[in-house]
Coordinates of all heavy atoms in Angstrom, one line a residue:
M21 N 87.6 8.1 -8.7 CA 87.7 7.8 -7.3 C 86.6 6.8 -6.9 O 85.4 7.0 -7.1 CB 87.6 9.1 -6.4 CG 87.7 8.8 -5.0 SD 87.4 10.4 -4.1 CE 88.7 10.4 -2.9
S22 N 87.0 5.7 -6.3 CA 85.9 4.7 -5.9 C 85.4 5.0 -4.6 O 86.1 5.6 -3.6 CB 86.5 3.3 -5.9 OG 87.5 3.1 -4.9
K23 N 84.2 4.7 -4.3 CA 83.5 4.9 -3.0 C 83.3 3.6 -2.4 O 82.9 2.6 -2.9 CB 82.1 5.5 -3.4 CG 81.9 6.8 -2.7 CD 80.5 7.3 -3.2 CE 79.8 7.9 -2.0 NZ 78.5 8.4 -2.4
V24 N 83.6 3.6 -1.1 CA 83.4 2.4 -0.2 C 82.2 2.6 0.6 O 82.0 3.5 1.4 CB 84.6 2.2 0.7 CG1 84.4 0.9 1.5 CG2 85.9 2.0 -0.2
G25 N 81.2 1.7 0.3 CA 79.9 1.8 1.1 C 80.0 0.9 2.3 O 80.9 0.2 2.6
P26 N 78.8 0.9 3.0 CA 78.7 0.0 4.2 C 78.7 -1.4 3.8 O 78.3 -1.8 2.8 CB 77.4 0.4 4.8 CG 76.6 1.1 3.7 CD 77.6 1.7 2.7
V27 N 79.3 -2.2 4.7 CA 79.3 -3.7 4.5 C 78.3 -4.3 5.3 O 78.1 -4.1 6.5 CB 80.8 -4.3 5.0 CG1 80.8 -5.7 4.8 CG2 81.9 -3.5 4.2
T28 N 77.5 -5.1 4.6 CA 76.4 -5.9 5.3 C 76.9 -7.3 5.6 O 77.5 -8.0 4.8 CB 75.2 -6.0 4.4 OG1 74.8 -4.7 4.0 CG2 74.1 -6.7 5.0
V29 N 76.6 -7.6 6.9 CA 77.1 -9.0 7.3 C 75.9 -9.8 7.6 O 75.1 -9.4 8.3 CB 78.0 -8.8 8.5 CG1 78.4 -10.2 9.2 CG2 79.3 -7.9 8.3
D30 N 75.9 -11.1 7.1 CA 74.9 -11.9 7.4 C 75.4 -12.9 8.5 O 76.2 -13.8 8.3 CB 74.4 -12.7 6.1 CG 73.2 -13.6 6.5 OD1 73.1 -14.0 7.6 OD2 72.4 -13.9 5.4
M31 N 74.9 -12.7 9.7 CA 75.4 -13.5 10.9 C 75.2 -15.0 10.6 O 76.0 -15.9 11.0 CB 74.8 -13.0 12.1 CG 75.4 -11.8 12.7 SD 77.2 -11.8 12.8 CE 77.5 -13.0 14.1
A32 N 74.0 -15.4 10.0 CA 73.8 -16.8 9.8 C 74.8 -17.4 8.9 O 75.2 -18.6 9.2 CB 72.3 -16.9 9.2
D33 N 75.3 -16.7 8.0 CA 76.3 -17.2 7.1 C 77.6 -17.5 7.8 O 78.2 -18.5 7.7 CB 76.6 -16.3 5.9 CG 75.5 -16.3 4.9 OD1 74.7 -17.2 4.9 OD2 75.5 -15.4 4.0
Y34 N 77.9 -16.5 8.7 CA 79.2 -16.7 9.5 C 79.1 -17.8 10.5 O 80.0 -18.6 10.6 CB 79.5 -15.3 10.3 CG 80.2 -14.3 9.4 CD1 79.5 -13.3 8.8 CD2 81.6 -14.5 9.2 CE1 80.2 -12.4 8.0 CE2 82.3 -13.6 8.4 CZ 81.5 -12.5 7.8 OH 82.3 -11.7 7.0
L35 N 77.9 -17.8 11.2 CA 77.7 -19.0 12.2 C 77.7 -20.3 11.5 O 78.1 -21.3 12.1 CB 76.5 -18.7 13.0 CG 76.5 -17.5 13.8 CD1 75.1 -17.3 14.4 CD2 77.5 -17.6 14.9
G36 N 77.2 -20.4 10.2 CA 77.1 -21.6 9.6 C 78.5 -22.3 9.2 O 78.5 -23.4 8.8
V37 N 79.5 -21.5 9.2 CA 80.8 -21.9 8.9 C 81.4 -22.7 10.0 O 82.3 -23.7 9.8 CB 81.7 -20.7 8.7 CG1 83.2 -21.2 8.4 CG2 81.2 -19.9 7.5
N38 N 81.0 -22.5 11.2 CA 81.5 -23.3 12.4 C 81.0 -24.6 12.4 O 80.0 -25.0 11.7 CB 80.9 -22.6 13.7 CG 81.4 -21.3 14.0 OD1 82.6 -20.9 13.6 ND2 80.7 -20.4 14.6
K39 N 81.7 -25.5 13.1 CA 81.3 -27.0 13.2 C 80.9 -27.2 14.7 O 81.5 -26.6 15.6 CB 82.4 -27.9 12.8 CG 82.6 -28.1 11.4 CD 83.7 -29.1 11.0 CE 83.3 -30.4 11.6 NZ 84.4 -31.4 11.2
Y40 N 80.0 -28.0 14.9 CA 79.5 -28.3 16.3 C 79.5 -29.8 16.6 O 78.8 -30.5 15.7 CB 78.1 -27.7 16.5 CG 77.9 -26.2 16.2 CD1 77.6 -25.8 14.9 CD2 78.1 -25.2 17.2 CE1 77.6 -24.4 14.6 CE2 78.1 -24.0 17.0 CZ 77.8 -23.5 15.7 OH 77.6 -22.2 15.4
A41 N 80.1 -30.2 17.6 CA 79.9 -31.6 18.0 C 79.0 -31.6 19.2 O 79.4 -31.2 20.3 CB 81.3 -32.1 18.4
V42 N 77.8 -31.9 19.0 CA 76.7 -31.8 20.0 C 76.6 -33.1 20.8 O 76.5 -34.2 20.4 CB 75.4 -31.6 19.4 CG1 74.3 -31.4 20.4 CG2 75.4 -30.3 18.4
D43 N 76.8 -32.9 22.1 CA 76.7 -33.9 23.1 C 75.3 -34.1 23.5 O 74.8 -33.6 24.5 CB 77.6 -33.6 24.3 CG 77.9 -34.8 25.2 OD1 77.3 -35.9 25.0 OD2 78.8 -34.7 26.1
E44 N 74.5 -34.8 22.7 CA 73.1 -34.8 22.7 C 72.6 -35.2 24.1 O 71.6 -34.7 24.7 CB 72.5 -35.8 21.7 CG 72.7 -35.3 20.3 CD 71.8 -34.2 19.9 OE1 70.9 -33.8 20.6 OE2 72.0 -33.7 18.7
G45 N 73.1 -36.2 24.8 CA 72.7 -36.7 26.0 C 73.2 -35.9 27.2 O 72.9 -36.3 28.4
N46 N 74.0 -35.0 27.0 CA 74.7 -34.3 28.1 C 74.7 -32.8 27.9 O 75.8 -32.3 27.6 CB 76.1 -34.8 28.3 CG 76.8 -34.3 29.5 OD1 76.1 -33.9 30.5 ND2 78.1 -34.2 29.5
P47 N 73.6 -32.1 28.0 CA 73.5 -30.6 27.6 C 74.4 -29.8 28.6 O 74.4 -30.1 29.8 CB 72.0 -30.3 27.8 CG 71.4 -31.4 28.6 CD 72.2 -32.6 28.3
H48 N 75.2 -29.0 28.1 CA 76.1 -28.2 28.9 C 75.4 -27.0 29.5 O 76.0 -26.2 30.3 CB 77.4 -27.8 28.2 CG 77.2 -26.8 27.1 ND1 76.6 -27.1 25.9 CD2 77.5 -25.5 27.0 CE1 76.6 -26.1 25.1 NE2 77.1 -25.1 25.8
I49 N 74.1 -26.7 29.1 CA 73.4 -25.6 29.7 C 72.0 -26.2 30.0 O 71.4 -26.8 29.2 CB 73.2 -24.5 28.6 CG1 74.5 -23.9 28.3 CG2 72.2 -23.4 29.2 CD1 74.5 -22.9 27.1
E50 N 71.6 -25.9 31.2 CA 70.2 -26.3 31.7 C 69.5 -25.1 32.2 O 70.0 -24.2 32.9 CB 70.4 -27.5 32.7 CG 70.9 -28.7 32.2 CD 71.1 -29.8 33.2 OE1 70.1 -29.8 34.2 OE2 71.9 -30.6 33.2
L51 N 68.2 -25.1 31.8 CA 67.4 -24.0 32.3 C 66.4 -24.4 33.3 O 66.1 -25.5 33.5 CB 66.6 -23.5 31.0 CG 67.4 -23.1 29.8 CD1 66.5 -22.6 28.7 CD2 68.5 -22.2 30.1
A52 N 65.9 -23.4 34.0 CA 64.9 -23.6 35.0 C 63.6 -24.1 34.3 O 63.4 -23.8 33.1 CB 64.5 -22.3 35.7
V53 N 62.8 -24.9 35.0 CA 61.6 -25.5 34.3 C 60.7 -24.5 33.9 O 60.2 -24.6 32.7 CB 61.0 -26.4 35.5 CG1 59.6 -26.9 34.8 CG2 61.8 -27.6 35.8
D54 N 60.3 -23.5 34.6 CA 59.4 -22.4 34.1 C 59.9 -21.1 34.3 O 59.6 -20.4 35.2 CB 58.1 -22.6 34.9 CG 57.0 -21.7 34.4 OD1 57.1 -21.3 33.2 OD2 55.9 -21.5 35.1
P55 N 60.9 -20.7 33.5 CA 61.5 -19.4 33.7 C 60.6 -18.2 33.5 O 59.7 -18.3 32.6 CB 62.6 -19.4 32.7 CG 62.3 -20.4 31.7 CD 61.4 -21.4 32.3
G56 N 60.8 -17.1 34.2 CA 59.9 -16.0 33.9 C 60.1 -15.4 32.6 O 61.1 -15.4 32.0
R57 N 59.0 -14.8 32.1 CA 59.1 -14.2 30.7 C 60.1 -13.1 30.6 O 60.8 -13.1 29.7 CB 57.7 -13.6 30.4 CG 57.7 -12.9 29.0 CD 58.1 -13.7 27.8 NE 57.3 -14.9 27.7 CZ 56.4 -15.1 26.7 NH1 56.2 -14.1 25.8 NH2 55.7 -16.2 26.6
E58 N 60.2 -12.2 31.5 CA 61.1 -11.1 31.5 C 62.6 -11.6 31.4 O 63.4 -11.0 30.7 CB 60.9 -10.1 32.6 CG 59.7 -9.3 32.4 CD 59.6 -8.5 31.0 OE1 60.6 -7.9 30.6 OE2 58.6 -8.6 30.3
E59 N 62.9 -12.6 32.3 CA 64.3 -13.0 32.3 C 64.5 -13.8 31.1 O 65.7 -13.7 30.5 CB 64.4 -14.0 33.5 CG 64.6 -13.3 34.9 CD 66.0 -12.5 35.0 OE1 66.9 -13.2 34.9 OE2 65.9 -11.3 35.1
F60 N 63.7 -14.6 30.6 CA 63.9 -15.3 29.3 C 64.1 -14.3 28.1 O 64.9 -14.6 27.3 CB 62.7 -16.4 29.1 CG 63.1 -17.3 28.0 CD1 63.7 -18.5 28.3 CD2 62.8 -17.1 26.6 CE1 64.0 -19.4 27.4 CE2 63.1 -18.0 25.7 CZ 63.7 -19.3 26.1
L61 N 63.3 -13.3 28.2 CA 63.3 -12.3 27.1 C 64.7 -11.6 27.0 O 65.3 -11.3 26.0 CB 62.3 -11.2 27.2 CG 62.1 -10.3 26.1 CD1 61.8 -10.9 24.8 CD2 60.9 -9.3 26.4
K62 N 65.3 -11.5 28.1 CA 66.7 -11.0 28.3 C 67.6 -11.9 27.6 O 68.4 -11.3 26.7 CB 67.0 -10.9 29.8 CG 68.2 -10.0 30.1 CD 68.7 -10.1 31.5 CE 67.7 -10.1 32.6 NZ 68.4 -10.2 33.9
L63 N 67.4 -13.2 27.6 CA 68.3 -14.0 26.8 C 68.0 -14.1 25.4 O 68.9 -14.3 24.6 CB 68.2 -15.5 27.4 CG 68.6 -15.5 28.9 CD1 68.3 -17.0 29.4 CD2 70.0 -15.1 29.1
V64 N 66.8 -14.0 25.0 CA 66.4 -13.8 23.6 C 67.3 -12.7 23.0 O 67.7 -12.7 21.9 CB 64.9 -13.6 23.4 CG1 64.6 -13.3 21.9 CG2 64.2 -14.8 23.9
R65 N 67.4 -11.5 23.8 CA 68.0 -10.4 23.3 C 69.6 -10.5 23.3 O 70.2 -9.8 22.4 CB 67.7 -9.2 24.1 CG 66.2 -8.8 23.9 CD 65.8 -7.6 24.8 NE 64.5 -7.2 24.6 CZ 63.7 -6.9 25.7 NH1 64.0 -7.0 26.9 NH2 62.4 -6.5 25.4
V66 N 70.2 -11.3 24.2 CA 71.6 -11.2 24.3 C 72.4 -12.4 23.6 O 73.5 -12.3 23.4 CB 72.1 -11.1 25.8 CG1 71.6 -9.8 26.4 CG2 71.8 -12.3 26.6
C67 N 71.7 -13.5 23.4 CA 72.4 -14.6 22.9 C 72.8 -14.4 21.4 O 72.0 -14.2 20.5 CB 71.6 -15.9 22.9 SG 72.3 -17.3 22.1
P68 N 74.1 -14.4 21.1 CA 74.6 -14.0 19.8 C 74.3 -15.1 18.8 O 74.3 -14.8 17.5 CB 76.1 -13.9 19.9 CG 76.4 -14.7 21.2 CD 75.3 -14.6 22.1
A69 N 74.0 -16.2 19.2 CA 73.6 -17.3 18.3 C 72.0 -17.5 18.2 O 71.6 -18.4 17.4 CB 74.1 -18.7 18.8
A70 N 71.3 -16.6 18.8 CA 69.8 -16.6 18.7 C 69.2 -18.0 19.1 O 68.3 -18.6 18.4 CB 69.4 -16.2 17.4
L71 N 69.7 -18.6 20.2 CA 69.2 -19.9 20.6 C 68.0 -19.9 21.5 O 67.4 -20.9 21.7 CB 70.4 -20.7 21.3 CG 71.7 -20.9 20.4 CD1 72.7 -21.7 21.2 CD2 71.3 -21.7 19.1
Y72 N 67.8 -18.8 22.1 CA 66.7 -18.6 23.0 C 65.6 -17.9 22.1 O 65.8 -16.9 21.5 CB 66.9 -17.7 24.1 CG 68.0 -18.3 25.1 CD1 69.3 -18.1 24.8 CD2 67.5 -19.0 26.2 CE1 70.3 -18.6 25.7 CE2 68.5 -19.6 27.1 CZ 69.8 -19.4 26.9 OH 70.7 -19.9 27.7
K73 N 64.4 -18.5 22.0 CA 63.4 -18.0 21.1 C 62.0 -18.0 21.8 O 61.7 -18.8 22.7 CB 63.3 -18.9 19.9 CG 64.5 -18.9 19.0 CD 64.2 -19.8 17.8 CE 65.3 -20.1 16.9 NZ 66.5 -19.4 16.8
I74 N 61.2 -17.1 21.4 CA 59.7 -17.0 21.8 C 59.0 -17.0 20.5 O 59.1 -16.0 19.8 CB 59.5 -15.8 22.7 CG1 60.3 -15.8 24.0 CG2 58.0 -15.7 23.0 CD1 60.1 -14.5 24.9
D75 N 58.1 -18.0 20.3 CA 57.4 -18.1 19.1 C 56.1 -17.2 19.1 O 55.8 -16.6 20.2 CB 57.1 -19.4 18.6 CG 56.2 -20.2 19.5 OD1 55.4 -19.5 20.3 OD2 56.2 -21.4 19.5
A76 N 55.4 -17.1 18.0 CA 54.1 -16.3 18.0 C 53.1 -16.7 19.0 O 52.4 -15.8 19.4 CB 53.5 -16.4 16.5
A77 N 53.1 -18.0 19.4 CA 52.2 -18.4 20.5 C 52.7 -18.1 21.8 O 51.9 -18.4 22.8 CB 51.9 -19.9 20.2
G78 N 53.9 -17.6 22.0 CA 54.5 -17.3 23.3 C 55.2 -18.4 23.9 O 55.7 -18.3 25.1
N79 N 55.4 -19.5 23.1 CA 56.2 -20.5 23.7 C 57.8 -20.2 23.8 O 58.2 -19.7 22.8 CB 56.1 -21.8 22.8 CG 54.6 -22.3 22.8 OD1 54.0 -22.4 23.8 ND2 54.1 -22.5 21.6
Q80 N 58.4 -20.5 24.8 CA 59.8 -20.2 25.0 C 60.6 -21.5 24.7 O 60.3 -22.5 25.4 CB 60.0 -19.7 26.5 CG 59.3 -18.5 26.8 CD 59.4 -18.1 28.3 OE1 59.0 -17.0 28.6 NE2 59.9 -19.0 29.2
T81 N 61.6 -21.4 23.9 CA 62.3 -22.6 23.5 C 63.8 -22.2 23.6 O 64.2 -21.1 23.4 CB 62.0 -23.1 22.1 OG1 62.2 -22.0 21.2 CG2 60.5 -23.6 22.0
F82 N 64.6 -23.3 23.8 CA 66.0 -23.1 23.8 C 66.7 -24.4 23.2 O 66.2 -25.5 23.5 CB 66.6 -22.9 25.2 CG 68.0 -23.0 25.4 CD1 68.9 -22.0 24.8 CD2 68.6 -24.1 26.0 CE1 70.2 -22.2 24.9 CE2 70.0 -24.2 26.1 CZ 70.8 -23.2 25.6
D83 N 67.7 -24.3 22.4 CA 68.4 -25.5 21.9 C 69.9 -25.1 22.0 O 70.4 -24.2 21.4 CB 68.0 -25.6 20.4 CG 68.7 -26.8 19.8 OD1 69.5 -27.6 20.5 OD2 68.5 -27.1 18.6
F84 N 70.5 -26.0 22.8 CA 72.0 -25.7 23.1 C 72.9 -26.1 21.9 O 74.1 -25.8 22.0 CB 72.4 -26.4 24.4 CG 72.5 -27.8 24.3 CD1 73.7 -28.5 24.1 CD2 71.4 -28.7 24.4 CE1 73.8 -29.9 23.9 CE2 71.5 -30.1 24.3 CZ 72.7 -30.7 24.1
A85 N 72.3 -26.7 20.9 CA 73.2 -27.4 19.9 C 74.1 -26.3 19.1 O 75.1 -26.7 18.7 CB 72.2 -28.1 18.9
G86 N 73.6 -25.2 19.0 CA 74.4 -24.1 18.2 C 75.2 -23.2 19.1 O 75.5 -22.1 18.7
C87 N 75.4 -23.6 20.4 CA 76.0 -22.7 21.3 C 77.5 -22.3 21.0 O 78.2 -23.2 20.6 CB 76.0 -23.3 22.7 SG 76.7 -22.3 24.0
L88 N 77.8 -21.0 21.1 CA 79.1 -20.5 20.8 C 80.0 -20.5 22.0 O 81.2 -20.1 21.9 CB 79.0 -19.1 20.2 CG 78.2 -19.0 19.0 CD1 77.9 -17.5 18.7 CD2 78.8 -19.7 17.9
E89 N 79.4 -20.9 23.2 CA 80.2 -21.0 24.5 C 80.7 -19.7 24.9 O 81.8 -19.6 25.5 CB 81.3 -22.1 24.4 CG 80.8 -23.5 24.1 CD 81.8 -24.4 23.6 OE1 83.0 -24.4 24.1 OE2 81.5 -25.4 22.9
C90 N 80.0 -18.7 24.7 CA 80.5 -17.3 25.0 C 80.2 -17.0 26.5 O 80.8 -16.1 27.1 CB 79.8 -16.3 24.2 SG 78.0 -16.1 24.4
G91 N 79.2 -17.7 27.1 CA 78.9 -17.5 28.5 C 78.0 -16.3 28.8 O 77.7 -16.0 30.0
T92 N 77.5 -15.6 27.8 CA 76.6 -14.4 28.0 C 75.4 -14.7 28.7 O 75.0 -14.0 29.6 CB 76.4 -13.8 26.7 OG1 77.5 -13.4 25.9 CG2 75.5 -12.5 26.8
C93 N 74.7 -15.8 28.4 CA 73.5 -16.2 29.1 C 73.7 -16.5 30.6 O 73.0 -16.2 31.4 CB 72.8 -17.3 28.4 SG 73.8 -18.9 28.3
R94 N 74.9 -17.1 30.9 CA 75.3 -17.4 32.3 C 75.5 -16.0 33.0 O 75.0 -15.9 34.2 CB 76.5 -18.2 32.3 CG 77.1 -18.5 33.7 CD 78.4 -19.2 33.6 NE 78.8 -19.6 34.9 CZ 80.0 -20.0 35.2 NH1 80.8 -20.2 34.3 NH2 80.3 -20.4 36.4
I95 N 76.0 -15.1 32.4 CA 76.2 -13.8 33.1 C 74.9 -13.0 33.2 O 74.6 -12.5 34.3 CB 77.2 -12.9 32.3 CG1 78.5 -13.5 32.2 CG2 77.2 -11.4 32.9 CD1 79.3 -13.7 33.4
A96 N 74.1 -13.2 32.2 CA 72.8 -12.4 32.1 C 71.7 -13.0 33.1 O 70.9 -12.3 33.7 CB 72.3 -12.3 30.7
A97 N 71.8 -14.4 33.2 CA 70.7 -15.0 34.0 C 71.1 -16.2 34.7 O 70.3 -17.2 34.9 CB 69.5 -15.3 33.0
G98 N 72.3 -16.3 35.1 CA 72.7 -17.4 35.9 C 72.1 -17.4 37.2 O 72.0 -16.4 37.9
G99 N 71.6 -18.6 37.6 CA 70.9 -18.7 38.9 C 69.3 -18.3 38.9 O 68.6 -18.5 39.7
T100 N 68.9 -17.8 37.7 CA 67.5 -17.5 37.5 C 67.0 -18.5 36.4 O 66.4 -19.5 36.7 CB 67.1 -16.1 37.2 OG1 67.9 -15.7 36.0 CG2 67.5 -15.2 38.3
V101 N 67.2 -18.1 35.2 CA 66.9 -19.0 34.0 C 67.8 -20.1 33.8 O 67.5 -21.3 33.7 CB 66.7 -18.2 32.7 CG1 66.3 -19.1 31.5 CG2 65.7 -17.1 32.8
V102 N 69.2 -19.7 33.8 CA 70.3 -20.6 33.6 C 70.6 -21.2 34.9 O 71.3 -20.6 35.7 CB 71.5 -20.0 32.9 CG1 72.6 -21.0 32.6 CG2 71.0 -19.4 31.5
I103 N 70.3 -22.5 35.2 CA 70.6 -23.1 36.4 C 71.9 -24.0 36.4 O 72.5 -24.3 37.4 CB 69.4 -23.9 37.0 CG1 69.1 -25.0 36.0 CG2 68.2 -23.0 37.3 CD1 68.0 -26.0 36.5
E104 N 72.4 -24.3 35.2 CA 73.7 -25.0 35.0 C 74.3 -24.6 33.8 O 73.7 -24.4 32.7 CB 73.4 -26.4 35.0 CG 74.6 -27.4 34.7 CD 75.7 -27.2 35.7 OE1 75.4 -27.0 36.9 OE2 76.9 -27.4 35.4
W105 N 75.5 -24.2 33.8 CA 76.4 -23.8 32.6 C 77.8 -24.3 32.9 O 78.5 -24.0 33.9 CB 76.3 -22.4 32.5 CG 76.8 -21.9 31.1 CD1 76.0 -21.4 30.1 CD2 78.2 -21.9 30.6 NE1 76.8 -21.1 29.0 CE2 78.1 -21.4 29.2 CE3 79.4 -22.3 31.1 CZ2 79.3 -21.2 28.4 CZ3 80.5 -22.1 30.3 CH2 80.4 -21.6 29.0
H106 N 78.2 -25.2 31.9 CA 79.6 -25.6 32.0 C 80.1 -25.8 30.5 O 79.2 -25.9 29.6 CB 79.9 -26.8 32.8 CG 79.1 -28.0 32.4 ND1 77.8 -28.3 32.9 CD2 79.3 -28.9 31.5 CE1 77.4 -29.4 32.3 NE2 78.3 -29.8 31.4
F107 N 81.4 -25.8 30.3 CA 81.8 -26.1 29.0 C 81.5 -27.5 28.6 O 81.5 -28.4 29.4 CB 83.3 -25.8 28.7 CG 83.6 -24.3 28.7 CD1 84.2 -23.7 29.8 CD2 83.3 -23.6 27.6 CE1 84.6 -22.3 29.8 CE2 83.6 -22.2 27.6 CZ 84.2 -21.6 28.6
P108 N 81.3 -27.8 27.3 CA 81.1 -29.2 26.8 C 82.4 -30.0 27.1 O 83.4 -29.4 27.2 CB 80.9 -29.0 25.3 CG 80.4 -27.6 25.1 CD 81.1 -26.8 26.1
G109 N 82.2 -31.3 27.1 CA 83.4 -32.1 27.4 C 84.4 -32.1 26.3 O 84.1 -31.5 25.2
P110 N 85.5 -32.7 26.5 CA 86.6 -32.7 25.4 C 86.1 -33.2 24.2 O 85.3 -34.1 24.1 CB 87.7 -33.6 26.1 CG 87.3 -33.7 27.5 CD 85.9 -33.5 27.7
T111 N 86.5 -32.6 23.1 CA 86.1 -32.8 21.7 C 84.7 -32.5 21.3 O 84.3 -32.7 20.2 CB 86.4 -34.3 21.2 OG1 85.4 -35.2 21.8 CG2 87.8 -34.8 21.6
M112 N 84.0 -32.0 22.3 CA 82.6 -31.7 22.1 C 82.4 -30.1 22.0 O 83.3 -29.4 22.4 CB 81.6 -32.1 23.2 CG 81.8 -33.6 23.4 SD 81.4 -34.6 21.9 CE 79.7 -34.5 21.7
G113 N 81.3 -29.6 21.4 CA 81.1 -28.2 21.4 C 81.4 -27.6 20.1 O 81.6 -28.3 19.1
V114 N 81.6 -26.3 20.1 CA 81.8 -25.5 18.9 C 83.3 -25.6 18.5 O 84.2 -25.6 19.3 CB 81.4 -24.0 19.1 CG1 82.3 -23.3 20.1 CG2 81.4 -23.3 17.7
Q115 N 83.5 -25.6 17.2 CA 84.8 -25.6 16.6 C 84.7 -24.4 15.6 O 84.1 -24.4 14.6 CB 85.1 -26.9 15.9 CG 86.5 -26.9 15.3 CD 86.7 -28.2 14.6 OE1 86.5 -28.4 13.5 NE2 87.3 -29.2 15.4
Y116 N 85.4 -23.3 16.0 CA 85.4 -22.1 15.2 C 86.1 -22.2 13.9 O 87.2 -22.8 13.9 CB 85.8 -20.9 15.9 CG 84.9 -20.4 17.1 CD1 85.1 -20.7 18.4 CD2 83.8 -19.7 16.7 CE1 84.3 -20.4 19.4 CE2 82.9 -19.2 17.7 CZ 83.2 -19.6 19.0 OH 82.3 -19.2 20.0
R117 N 85.5 -21.8 12.8 CA 86.2 -21.7 11.5 C 86.0 -20.2 11.1 O 84.9 -19.7 11.1 CB 85.6 -22.7 10.6 CG 85.8 -24.0 11.0 CD 85.4 -25.0 9.9 NE 85.9 -26.3 10.3 CZ 85.8 -27.4 9.5 NH1 85.1 -27.2 8.4 NH2 86.2 -28.5 9.8
Y118 N 87.0 -19.7 10.5 CA 87.0 -18.4 10.1 C 87.1 -18.4 8.5 O 87.8 -19.2 8.0 CB 88.2 -17.5 10.6 CG 88.1 -17.5 12.1 CD1 88.9 -18.3 12.8 CD2 87.2 -16.6 12.8 CE1 88.9 -18.4 14.2 CE2 87.2 -16.6 14.2 CZ 88.1 -17.5 14.9 OH 88.0 -17.5 16.3
G119 N 86.4 -17.5 7.9 CA 86.6 -17.5 6.4 C 85.3 -17.1 5.7 O 84.3 -16.8 6.3
Ligands
SF4_215 S1 76.8 -19.4 26.0 FE1 76.4 -17.7 24.5 S2 75.8 -18.7 22.5 FE2 75.6 -20.3 24.2 S3 73.5 -20.2 24.7 FE3 74.6 -18.8 26.1 S4 74.6 -16.7 25.2 FE4 73.9 -18.2 23.5

């Protein structure tokens, strides 16, 4: 009798399968200039693509280039940290690939 164990999923591998057409000059998400640490930390925790980061020196960074367009950050911090959120223009943004 064969035993089926737990399956380990590497999210980076899955996310790396997607394609992204990044609209460099027209970010679809804009953040407040100096967002508070607690609100920003909330986004570090909820973004499934891990695009909100706080480094060892405490610097808060965000890169919209790998955005999955899920809208979670807008729900979590719209009007505080996230001051603008819209879908990227036609032909831009994430193109999901499964496999
Ligand atoms: S829309 Fe989703 S994937 Fe994109 S930055 Fe916000 S939480 Fe992250």
